[in-house]
Amino acid sequence: MSAVLSAAGVVRRLSGEVPVTLVDGVNLDIERGEFVCIMGPSGSGKSSLLYLLGLLDVPTAGRVLLDGDDTSRYGEDELANRRLEKLGFIFQFHFLLAEFTVMENVLLPMRRLGKLSDDSARTRARELLERFGIGAQSAKRPHQLSGGERQRVAIARALANEPLVILADEPTGNLDSVSSANVRQILRGLTRETATTVVAVTHDGSFAAAADRRIGIVDGKIDNAWRPG
Amino acid sequence: MGLQSSIALTHLTSRRRQTLVSLSCVVLGVAFFLAVSSLMSGSERDFLKRLVDNSAHITVSDEFRSAAVQPAALRWADGAVHISHVKPKTETRGIRGYRQKLAFVESLPGLRAAPMLVGSAVLTFAGREHGVTLSGIVPSKMKNVSTIEEKTVAGSLDALSANPNGIVIGKGLADKFGLWLGSTVSVTAPSGVNRPMKVVGVFRMGNASVDETQTFTLLKRAQMLLERPNRVNRFVIQLTDPYQARVVAQRIERAVGYKSLSWIEASEDFLSLLLIRRIIMYSVVSAILIVASFGIYNTLSTIVMEKTRDIAILKSMGFHSRDIRRIFLIEGVIIGLIGSAVGVACGLGLMRVLASIQFKIPGVTETQHLPLDWSVTQYALAAAFALISCIAASYLPARRAGRLHPVDILRGAA
């Protein structure tokens, strides 16, 4: 197996009167099709590491490699292109665009990438929505859906451009236990069926239990000895 | 429709009330801009038309722009001795060789010219005297270069040809002395030559000074009265294109040597006043649209503030900063385009209302209308200015949206 996402000595420090180190020298290799959970106490730097791995933030030191590419040499636009082509994001709050229908939300990344025709993109969006059991909701707006349905739409949107890696920040943090289990199964299934890599930050023990690997973070450093209290 | 455009349109349609307020500002701004600027521009055109129609486009007079250089100064230009206080040789007044010079002027394309001999005289009637300007003219030529024929309220200019002792006077003078067609007045030149003349025409130019003091007679009669046989002291020239007056006047002056004054040069003070008036007018109407653009700025700033999370999501998806900027600029353009179109329609309605207003000027029998400029330039100017204001107003919110860092927002939202 080859590493699809790597962190090599990644440091993220916020400058200011009192500099704060969010991530401190993290080395990490994540394989293709792997389901990895990043866990740790609140404020330990889990989300910051996820944003760095997801190319939303740029490390103060060290490198992030995506699919073998050293992303430290990329500018803002090139990083945005990599996110568009190779990464998908899921957040704790679904973060769907409220004025757009479910279908339009899923279409957005495909329309931005522009590789598929309008009809093909619609067909793919419909397939994704049906796969996650929300095909009938495609004309609705996010506020007309339940929390679990919204999160499934967010997953469909994250998968729209067939990314190599899905990065999820507390994907079940705002869901009931049934919806959480549903999201967990979907993400677990993705790694097995399509070899999509899933990297998730979570506090949810049952969610983490489904992962191939759990990485503990404490004070911005990897601490695999850490266990949820 | 492009992705950015569809997002922009969705933003605007989902905030109907705010969008409508912004649109109303632009519509009102454009409508008032159009109505005021067309009214001001129309009145300016009307003023210029009156100025151009009622005066000679070019007047060649028997004067020189600067005093003649003395022969000694010409002969010894670098001489060590400077001669001053030299009294120039007395010149015989009038344009020398006027027939040849007039023939040259008339040979130029796009103009009509008429010779005149202008002098002073005293008009006496029933023991009352009045100083007048006596202009000797050739009626057939004069009709081509002035509006005198159109402004004649009794008799005609042609009657001068039939009656060599005829005189055409202004309505003001006629009213003052109780004169009418057929009245005989006594005209005395400064030299003392006196001749009875019959009123054969009465004109009304609308200018009290002209109507009281201007009189016309045959050129030959004026030459005799003013004792200037075979002389004229003025060419009056009308152009097909009055705005070429300055260039044509310079050409004529270079060729004939006499001072050739275009209406543009003669009215420079008026024209600079019009320019100042135009600057003031555009400043005022632009202020309306600038105020309107604050409404757009406010709407788009609110959308940016409300949409920070969406902007973060779009950026995390792979949208570039310029995509985000473009979305908000397109929103400004959409408001500008729709606002301009509706504003132009409303402005047109407002202009029709203004054009329908009728009023009467004291002393004028015809009903007057407000002069409006209906040219396409007015619409284009109003629409262009509105569009520029909208884009400028949307630029700052768009830039701010483009600069938002997704991580800052995602951290705050989590």
Side-chain angles (χ1 to χ4, degrees), chain A residues 12 14 22 48 51 56-57 76-78 80-81 83-85 87 89 91-100 105 108-109 111-112 141 157 161 169, chain B residues 1-4 6-8 10-11 14-15 307 309-323 402 405-407 409-411 413-414:
Chain A
R12 181 67 174 107
L14 298 180
L22 301 172
S48 299
Y51 297 148
L56 284 172
D57 204 359
E76 194 191 327
D77 286 355
E78 201 53 43
N81 290 341
R83 288 199 297 274
L84 184 65
E85 289 165 6
L87 302 174
F89 289 90
F91 299 95
Q92 178 178 0
F93 303 97
H94 56 86
F95 285 169
L96 298 172
L97 303 191
E99 295 90 355
F100 290 83
N105 264 285
L108 271 174
R111 289 182 68 189
R112 177 61 189 84
R141 292 186 191 273
R157 186 178 66 185
N161 286 338
D169 192 2
Chain B
M1 191 191 296
L3 181 56
Q4 290 99 335
S6 73
I7 296 174
T10 310
H11 279 172
S14 63
R15 268 157 190 75
K307 293 285 168 198
R309 210 184 59 181
D310 289 5
I311 292 166
I313 293 307
L314 291 172
K315 281 196 155 184
S316 73
M317 251 183 234
F319 278 65
H320 293 185
S321 295
R322 65 171 173 274
D323 296 325
H405 201 281
V407 172
I409 300 154
L410 294 171
R411 276 207 186 100

Coordinates of all heavy atoms in Angstrom, one line a residue, chain A residues 12 14 22 48 51 56-57 76-78 80-81 83-85 87 89 91-100 105 108-109 111-112 141 157 161 169, chain B residues 1-4 6-8 10-11 14-15 307 309-323 402 405-407 409-411 413-414:
Chain A
R12 N 2.3 23.9 12.9 CA 1.5 25.1 12.6 C 1.5 26.0 13.9 O 1.1 25.5 14.9 CB 0.1 24.6 12.3 CG -0.9 25.8 12.0 CD -0.5 26.5 10.7 NE -1.4 27.5 10.3 CZ -1.2 28.8 10.4 NH1 0.0 29.3 10.8 NH2 -2.1 29.7 10.0
L14 N 0.7 29.9 15.4 CA 0.0 31.2 15.2 C 0.9 32.2 15.8 O 1.3 32.1 17.0 CB -1.4 31.2 15.8 CG -2.4 30.2 15.3 CD1 -3.7 30.4 16.1 CD2 -2.7 30.5 13.8
L22 N -0.2 25.1 17.3 CA -1.4 24.3 17.2 C -1.0 22.8 16.9 O -1.6 21.9 17.4 CB -2.3 24.8 16.1 CG -2.8 26.2 16.2 CD1 -3.5 26.7 15.0 CD2 -3.8 26.3 17.4
S48 N -7.0 21.3 13.7 CA -5.9 22.1 13.0 C -5.1 21.1 12.1 O -4.7 21.5 10.9 CB -4.9 22.7 14.0 OG -5.7 23.6 14.8
Y51 N -7.2 20.4 9.0 CA -7.2 21.5 8.0 C -5.8 21.5 7.2 O -5.8 21.9 6.1 CB -7.4 22.8 8.7 CG -8.7 23.0 9.4 CD1 -8.9 23.7 10.5 CD2 -9.9 22.3 8.9 CE1 -10.1 23.9 11.2 CE2 -11.1 22.4 9.5 CZ -11.2 23.2 10.7 OH -12.4 23.3 11.3
L56 N -6.4 23.2 3.6 CA -7.1 24.5 3.9 C -6.2 25.5 4.6 O -6.4 26.7 4.6 CB -8.3 24.2 4.8 CG -9.5 23.5 4.1 CD1 -10.5 23.1 5.2 CD2 -10.2 24.5 3.1
D57 N -5.2 24.9 5.3 CA -4.2 25.7 6.0 C -2.8 25.3 5.5 O -2.6 24.2 5.0 CB -4.4 25.5 7.5 CG -3.9 26.7 8.3 OD1 -3.4 27.7 7.7 OD2 -4.0 26.7 9.6
E76 N -2.0 29.6 -3.4 CA -3.4 29.5 -2.9 C -4.3 28.8 -4.0 O -5.1 28.0 -3.7 CB -3.9 30.9 -2.6 CG -5.1 30.9 -1.8 CD -5.8 32.3 -1.7 OE1 -5.0 33.3 -1.7 OE2 -7.0 32.3 -1.7
D77 N -4.1 29.3 -5.3 CA -5.0 28.8 -6.3 C -4.7 27.3 -6.6 O -5.7 26.5 -6.8 CB -4.8 29.6 -7.6 CG -5.4 30.9 -7.5 OD1 -6.1 31.2 -6.5 OD2 -5.3 31.7 -8.5
E78 N -3.5 26.9 -6.6 CA -3.1 25.5 -6.9 C -3.6 24.6 -5.7 O -4.1 23.5 -6.0 CB -1.6 25.4 -7.0 CG -1.1 24.2 -7.8 CD -1.7 24.0 -9.1 OE1 -1.9 25.1 -9.9 OE2 -2.1 22.9 -9.4
A80 N -6.2 25.2 -4.0 CA -7.7 25.1 -4.2 C -8.0 24.1 -5.3 O -8.9 23.3 -5.1 CB -8.2 26.5 -4.6
N81 N -7.2 24.1 -6.3 CA -7.4 23.1 -7.4 C -7.2 21.6 -6.9 O -8.0 20.8 -7.2 CB -6.4 23.3 -8.5 CG -6.7 24.6 -9.3 OD1 -7.8 25.1 -9.2 ND2 -5.7 25.1 -10.0
R83 N -7.7 20.7 -3.8 CA -8.9 20.4 -2.9 C -10.0 20.0 -3.8 O -10.8 19.0 -3.5 CB -9.2 21.6 -2.1 CG -8.3 21.9 -1.0 CD -9.0 22.9 0.1 NE -9.4 24.2 -0.4 CZ -8.6 25.2 -0.5 NH1 -7.3 25.1 0.0 NH2 -9.0 26.4 -1.0
L84 N -10.2 20.7 -4.9 CA -11.3 20.4 -5.8 C -11.3 19.1 -6.4 O -12.3 18.3 -6.5 CB -11.4 21.5 -6.9 CG -12.5 21.5 -7.8 CD1 -13.8 21.8 -7.1 CD2 -12.3 22.5 -8.9
E85 N -10.0 18.7 -6.8 CA -9.9 17.4 -7.5 C -9.7 16.2 -6.7 O -10.2 15.1 -7.0 CB -8.6 17.5 -8.5 CG -8.8 18.5 -9.6 CD -7.5 18.8 -10.3 OE1 -6.5 18.3 -9.9 OE2 -7.5 19.7 -11.2
L87 N -9.8 16.1 -2.9 CA -10.3 16.1 -1.5 C -11.8 16.4 -1.4 O -12.3 17.1 -2.2 CB -9.5 17.1 -0.6 CG -8.0 16.9 -0.6 CD1 -7.3 18.1 0.1 CD2 -7.6 15.6 0.1
F89 N -14.7 17.3 1.8 CA -14.8 17.7 3.3 C -16.2 17.4 3.8 O -17.2 17.7 3.1 CB -14.5 19.2 3.4 CG -13.1 19.5 3.3 CD1 -12.6 19.8 2.0 CD2 -12.2 19.4 4.3 CE1 -11.2 20.1 1.8 CE2 -10.8 19.7 4.1 CZ -10.4 20.1 2.9
F91 N -18.2 18.4 7.5 CA -18.1 19.1 8.8 C -19.1 18.6 9.8 O -20.1 18.0 9.4 CB -18.1 20.6 8.5 CG -17.0 21.0 7.6 CD1 -17.3 21.2 6.3 CD2 -15.8 21.3 8.1 CE1 -16.3 21.6 5.4 CE2 -14.7 21.7 7.2 CZ -15.0 21.9 5.9
Q92 N -18.9 19.0 11.1 CA -19.9 18.7 12.1 C -21.3 19.2 11.8 O -22.3 18.5 11.9 CB -19.4 19.2 13.4 CG -20.3 19.0 14.6 CD -19.8 19.5 15.9 OE1 -18.7 20.1 16.0 NE2 -20.5 19.3 17.0
F93 N -21.3 20.5 11.4 CA -22.5 21.1 11.0 C -22.5 21.0 9.4 O -21.5 21.3 8.8 CB -22.6 22.6 11.4 CG -22.4 22.8 12.9 CD1 -21.2 23.1 13.5 CD2 -23.5 22.5 13.7 CE1 -21.1 23.2 14.8 CE2 -23.4 22.6 15.1 CZ -22.2 23.0 15.7
H94 N -23.6 20.5 8.9 CA -23.6 20.1 7.5 C -23.0 21.1 6.5 O -22.4 20.8 5.6 CB -25.0 19.7 7.1 CG -26.0 20.9 7.3 ND1 -26.1 21.8 6.4 CD2 -26.7 21.2 8.4 CE1 -27.0 22.7 6.8 NE2 -27.4 22.4 8.0
F95 N -23.2 22.4 6.8 CA -22.7 23.5 6.0 C -23.1 23.4 4.5 O -22.3 23.5 3.6 CB -21.1 23.5 6.0 CG -20.6 24.1 7.3 CD1 -19.2 23.9 7.6 CD2 -21.3 24.7 8.2 CE1 -18.6 24.5 8.7 CE2 -20.8 25.3 9.4 CZ -19.4 25.1 9.6
L96 N -24.4 23.0 4.4 CA -24.9 23.1 3.0 C -25.4 24.5 2.7 O -25.7 25.3 3.7 CB -26.2 22.2 2.9 CG -25.9 20.7 3.2 CD1 -27.2 19.9 3.2 CD2 -25.0 20.1 2.1
L97 N -25.4 24.9 1.5 CA -25.8 26.3 1.1 C -27.3 26.3 1.2 O -28.0 25.6 0.4 CB -25.3 26.7 -0.3 CG -23.8 26.5 -0.5 CD1 -23.4 27.2 -1.8 CD2 -23.0 27.2 0.7
A98 N -27.8 27.2 2.1 CA -29.2 27.2 2.4 C -30.1 27.5 1.2 O -31.3 27.0 1.2 CB -29.4 28.2 3.6
E99 N -29.7 28.4 0.3 CA -30.6 28.8 -0.8 C -30.6 27.8 -1.9 O -31.4 28.0 -2.8 CB -30.1 30.2 -1.4 CG -30.1 31.4 -0.4 CD -28.9 31.5 0.3 OE1 -28.0 30.7 0.2 OE2 -28.7 32.5 1.1
F100 N -29.8 26.8 -1.9 CA -29.7 25.9 -3.0 C -30.4 24.6 -2.6 O -30.5 24.2 -1.4 CB -28.3 25.6 -3.3 CG -27.6 26.7 -4.0 CD1 -27.0 27.7 -3.2 CD2 -27.5 26.8 -5.4 CE1 -26.4 28.8 -3.8 CE2 -26.8 27.9 -5.9 CZ -26.3 28.9 -5.2
N105 N -26.7 21.6 -4.3 CA -25.6 21.5 -3.4 C -24.6 20.5 -3.8 O -23.4 20.7 -3.8 CB -26.1 21.2 -2.0 CG -26.2 22.5 -1.2 OD1 -25.3 23.1 -0.7 ND2 -27.5 22.9 -1.0
L108 N -22.6 21.5 -7.0 CA -21.6 22.6 -7.0 C -20.2 22.2 -7.3 O -19.5 22.8 -8.2 CB -21.7 23.3 -5.6 CG -22.7 24.4 -5.4 CD1 -22.8 24.9 -4.0 CD2 -22.3 25.6 -6.3
P109 N -19.6 21.2 -6.6 CA -18.2 20.9 -6.9 C -18.0 20.4 -8.3 O -17.0 20.7 -8.9 CB -17.9 19.8 -5.9 CG -19.0 19.7 -4.9 CD -20.2 20.4 -5.5
R111 N -19.8 21.3 -10.9 CA -19.9 22.4 -11.9 C -18.6 23.2 -11.8 O -18.1 23.8 -12.8 CB -21.1 23.3 -11.5 CG -22.4 22.6 -11.8 CD -23.6 23.5 -11.5 NE -23.6 24.6 -12.4 CZ -24.5 25.6 -12.2 NH1 -25.3 25.6 -11.2 NH2 -24.5 26.7 -13.1
R112 N -18.0 23.3 -10.6 CA -16.8 24.1 -10.4 C -15.6 23.4 -11.2 O -14.8 24.1 -11.8 CB -16.4 24.3 -8.9 CG -15.1 25.1 -8.7 CD -15.2 26.5 -9.3 NE -13.9 27.2 -9.2 CZ -12.9 27.0 -10.2 NH1 -13.1 26.2 -11.2 NH2 -11.8 27.7 -10.1
R141 N -34.9 21.9 0.0 CA -33.8 22.8 0.5 C -33.3 22.2 1.9 O -34.1 21.5 2.5 CB -34.3 24.2 0.7 CG -34.5 24.8 -0.6 CD -34.9 26.3 -0.6 NE -35.4 26.7 -1.8 CZ -34.7 27.2 -2.8 NH1 -33.4 27.2 -2.7 NH2 -35.2 27.6 -4.0
R157 N -22.0 15.4 -1.4 CA -21.3 16.6 -2.0 C -19.8 16.4 -1.9 O -19.1 16.7 -2.9 CB -21.7 17.9 -1.3 CG -21.2 19.1 -1.9 CD -21.6 20.4 -1.2 NE -21.0 20.4 0.2 CZ -21.3 21.4 1.1 NH1 -22.1 22.3 0.8 NH2 -20.8 21.3 2.3
N161 N -16.8 14.8 -6.7 CA -15.7 14.8 -7.7 C -14.8 13.5 -7.5 O -13.6 13.5 -8.0 CB -14.9 16.0 -7.6 CG -15.6 17.2 -8.2 OD1 -16.5 17.1 -9.0 ND2 -15.2 18.4 -7.7
D169 N -14.6 16.4 9.9 CA -14.4 17.1 11.2 C -15.6 16.8 12.0 O -16.7 17.5 11.8 CB -14.1 18.6 11.0 CG -13.6 19.2 12.2 OD1 -13.4 18.5 13.2 OD2 -13.3 20.4 12.2
Chain B
M1 N -26.0 29.6 -17.9 CA -25.5 30.6 -16.9 C -24.3 30.0 -16.2 O -24.3 28.9 -15.8 CB -26.6 31.0 -16.0 CG -26.2 32.2 -15.1 SD -27.4 32.5 -13.8 CE -28.9 32.8 -14.7
G2 N -23.2 30.8 -16.0 CA -22.1 30.4 -15.3 C -22.4 30.1 -13.8 O -23.4 30.6 -13.3
L3 N -21.4 29.3 -13.2 CA -21.7 28.9 -11.8 C -21.7 30.2 -10.9 O -22.6 30.3 -10.0 CB -20.5 28.0 -11.4 CG -20.6 27.5 -10.0 CD1 -21.9 26.8 -9.7 CD2 -19.4 26.5 -9.7
Q4 N -20.7 31.1 -11.1 CA -20.7 32.3 -10.2 C -21.9 33.1 -10.4 O -22.5 33.6 -9.4 CB -19.4 33.1 -10.5 CG -18.1 32.5 -10.1 CD -17.4 31.8 -11.3 OE1 -18.1 31.4 -12.2 NE2 -16.1 31.7 -11.2
S6 N -24.9 32.1 -11.3 CA -26.1 31.4 -10.7 C -26.1 31.6 -9.2 O -27.1 31.8 -8.5 CB -26.2 30.0 -11.1 OG -25.3 29.2 -10.5
I7 N -24.9 31.5 -8.6 CA -24.8 31.7 -7.1 C -25.1 33.2 -6.8 O -25.9 33.4 -5.8 CB -23.3 31.4 -6.6 CG1 -23.0 29.9 -6.8 CG2 -23.2 31.8 -5.1 CD1 -21.6 29.5 -6.4
A8 N -24.6 34.1 -7.6 CA -24.9 35.5 -7.4 C -26.4 35.8 -7.4 O -27.0 36.5 -6.6 CB -24.2 36.4 -8.4
T10 N -28.8 33.6 -7.0 CA -29.5 33.0 -5.9 C -29.4 33.9 -4.7 O -30.4 34.0 -3.9 CB -28.9 31.6 -5.7 OG1 -28.8 30.9 -6.9 CG2 -29.7 30.8 -4.6
H11 N -28.2 34.4 -4.4 CA -28.0 35.3 -3.3 C -29.0 36.5 -3.3 O -29.7 36.8 -2.3 CB -26.6 35.9 -3.3 CG -25.6 35.0 -2.7 ND1 -24.2 35.3 -2.7 CD2 -25.7 33.9 -2.1 CE1 -23.6 34.3 -2.2 NE2 -24.4 33.4 -1.7
S14 N -32.7 35.4 -3.0 CA -33.1 34.9 -1.7 C -33.2 36.0 -0.7 O -33.7 35.8 0.4 CB -32.1 33.8 -1.2 OG -30.8 34.5 -1.0
R15 N -32.7 37.2 -1.0 CA -32.9 38.4 -0.2 C -33.6 39.4 -0.9 O -33.1 40.5 -1.3 CB -31.5 38.9 0.2 CG -31.0 38.3 1.5 CD -29.5 38.3 1.6 NE -29.1 37.5 2.8 CZ -29.2 36.2 2.7 NH1 -29.5 35.5 1.6 NH2 -28.9 35.5 3.8
K307 N -22.8 35.5 4.8 CA -22.4 34.3 4.0 C -21.0 33.9 4.2 O -20.4 33.1 3.4 CB -22.6 34.7 2.5 CG -24.0 34.9 2.0 CD -24.7 33.5 1.9 CE -26.1 33.7 1.8 NZ -26.9 32.5 2.1
R309 N -19.8 31.8 6.2 CA -19.7 30.3 6.3 C -19.8 29.6 4.9 O -19.0 28.7 4.6 CB -20.8 29.8 7.2 CG -20.5 28.5 8.0 CD -21.7 28.1 8.8 NE -22.8 27.8 7.9 CZ -24.0 27.3 8.3 NH1 -24.2 27.2 9.6 NH2 -24.9 27.1 7.4
D310 N -20.7 30.2 4.1 CA -20.8 29.6 2.8 C -19.6 29.9 2.0 O -19.1 29.0 1.2 CB -22.0 30.3 2.0 CG -23.4 29.9 2.6 OD1 -23.4 29.1 3.6 OD2 -24.4 30.3 2.0
I311 N -19.0 31.1 2.2 CA -17.7 31.4 1.5 C -16.6 30.4 1.9 O -15.9 29.8 1.1 CB -17.3 32.8 1.8 CG1 -18.3 33.8 1.2 CG2 -15.9 33.1 1.3 CD1 -18.2 35.2 1.7
A312 N -16.6 30.1 3.2 CA -15.6 29.1 3.7 C -15.8 27.7 3.1 O -14.9 27.0 2.7 CB -15.7 29.0 5.2
I313 N -17.1 27.3 2.9 CA -17.4 26.0 2.4 C -17.0 26.0 0.9 O -16.4 25.0 0.4 CB -19.0 25.7 2.5 CG1 -19.3 25.6 4.0 CG2 -19.4 24.5 1.7 CD1 -18.5 24.5 4.7
L314 N -17.4 27.1 0.2 CA -17.0 27.1 -1.2 C -15.5 27.1 -1.4 O -15.0 26.4 -2.3 CB -17.6 28.4 -1.9 CG -19.1 28.5 -2.0 CD1 -19.5 29.9 -2.5 CD2 -19.6 27.5 -3.0
K315 N -14.8 27.8 -0.5 CA -13.3 27.7 -0.6 C -12.8 26.3 -0.3 O -11.8 25.9 -0.9 CB -12.7 28.8 0.2 CG -12.8 30.2 -0.4 CD -11.8 31.1 0.4 CE -11.4 32.2 -0.5 NZ -10.4 33.1 0.1
S316 N -13.4 25.7 0.7 CA -12.9 24.4 1.1 C -13.2 23.4 -0.1 O -12.4 22.4 -0.3 CB -13.6 23.9 2.4 OG -14.9 23.5 2.1
M317 N -14.2 23.7 -0.8 CA -14.6 22.8 -2.0 C -13.6 23.0 -3.1 O -13.5 22.1 -4.0 CB -15.9 23.3 -2.5 CG -17.1 22.4 -2.3 SD -18.5 23.1 -3.1 CE -19.6 23.2 -1.8
G318 N -12.9 24.1 -3.1 CA -11.9 24.3 -4.2 C -12.2 25.6 -5.0 O -11.6 25.8 -6.1
F319 N -13.1 26.4 -4.6 CA -13.3 27.7 -5.2 C -12.1 28.6 -4.9 O -11.6 28.6 -3.8 CB -14.6 28.4 -4.7 CG -15.9 27.9 -5.4 CD1 -16.3 26.6 -5.2 CD2 -16.6 28.7 -6.2 CE1 -17.4 26.1 -5.8 CE2 -17.8 28.2 -6.8 CZ -18.2 26.9 -6.6
H320 N -11.7 29.4 -6.0 CA -10.6 30.3 -5.8 C -11.1 31.6 -5.2 O -12.3 31.9 -5.2 CB -10.0 30.6 -7.1 CG -9.3 29.5 -7.8 ND1 -8.5 29.6 -8.9 CD2 -9.2 28.2 -7.4 CE1 -8.0 28.4 -9.3 NE2 -8.4 27.5 -8.3
S321 N -10.2 32.4 -4.6 CA -10.6 33.7 -4.1 C -11.2 34.5 -5.2 O -12.2 35.3 -4.9 CB -9.4 34.5 -3.6 OG -8.8 33.8 -2.5
R322 N -10.7 34.4 -6.4 CA -11.3 35.3 -7.5 C -12.7 34.8 -7.9 O -13.5 35.6 -8.3 CB -10.4 35.3 -8.7 CG -10.2 34.0 -9.4 CD -9.4 34.1 -10.7 NE -9.1 32.8 -11.3 CZ -8.1 32.1 -11.0 NH1 -7.1 32.6 -10.2 NH2 -7.8 31.0 -11.6
D323 N -13.0 33.5 -7.7 CA -14.4 33.0 -7.9 C -15.3 33.7 -7.0 O -16.4 34.2 -7.3 CB -14.5 31.5 -7.7 CG -13.7 30.7 -8.7 OD1 -13.6 31.2 -9.8 OD2 -13.1 29.7 -8.3
G402 N -13.4 37.7 -0.9 CA -12.3 36.9 -1.5 C -11.2 36.7 -0.5 O -10.5 35.7 -0.6
H405 N -10.5 33.8 5.1 CA -9.7 32.6 5.2 C -10.6 31.5 5.7 O -11.2 31.6 6.8 CB -8.5 32.8 6.1 CG -7.4 31.8 5.9 ND1 -7.5 30.5 6.4 CD2 -6.3 31.8 5.1 CE1 -6.5 29.8 6.0 NE2 -5.7 30.6 5.2
P406 N -10.8 30.4 5.0 CA -11.8 29.4 5.4 C -11.6 28.8 6.8 O -12.5 28.6 7.6 CB -11.7 28.3 4.3 CG -10.5 28.5 3.6 CD -10.2 30.0 3.7
V407 N -10.3 28.6 7.1 CA -10.0 28.0 8.5 C -10.5 28.9 9.6 O -11.0 28.5 10.6 CB -8.5 27.8 8.6 CG1 -8.1 27.3 10.0 CG2 -8.1 26.7 7.6
I409 N -13.0 30.9 9.6 CA -14.4 30.8 9.7 C -14.8 29.4 10.3 O -15.7 29.3 11.1 CB -15.1 31.0 8.4 CG1 -14.7 32.4 7.9 CG2 -16.6 30.9 8.4 CD1 -14.7 32.6 6.4
L410 N -14.2 28.3 9.8 CA -14.5 27.0 10.2 C -14.2 26.8 11.7 O -15.0 26.2 12.4 CB -13.8 25.9 9.4 CG -14.2 25.9 7.9 CD1 -13.2 25.0 7.1 CD2 -15.6 25.4 7.8
R411 N -13.1 27.4 12.1 CA -12.8 27.3 13.6 C -13.8 28.0 14.4 O -14.3 27.5 15.4 CB -11.4 28.0 13.8 CG -10.3 27.1 13.6 CD -9.0 27.5 14.5 NE -7.9 26.7 14.1 CZ -6.9 27.1 13.3 NH1 -7.0 28.3 12.8 NH2 -6.0 26.3 12.9
A413 N -16.9 28.6 13.6 CA -18.2 27.9 13.5 C -18.3 26.6 14.2 O -19.4 26.2 14.6 CB -18.5 27.7 12.0
A414 N -17.2 26.0 14.5 CA -17.2 24.7 15.1 C -17.6 24.8 16.6 O -17.4 25.8 17.2 CB -15.8 24.1 15.0

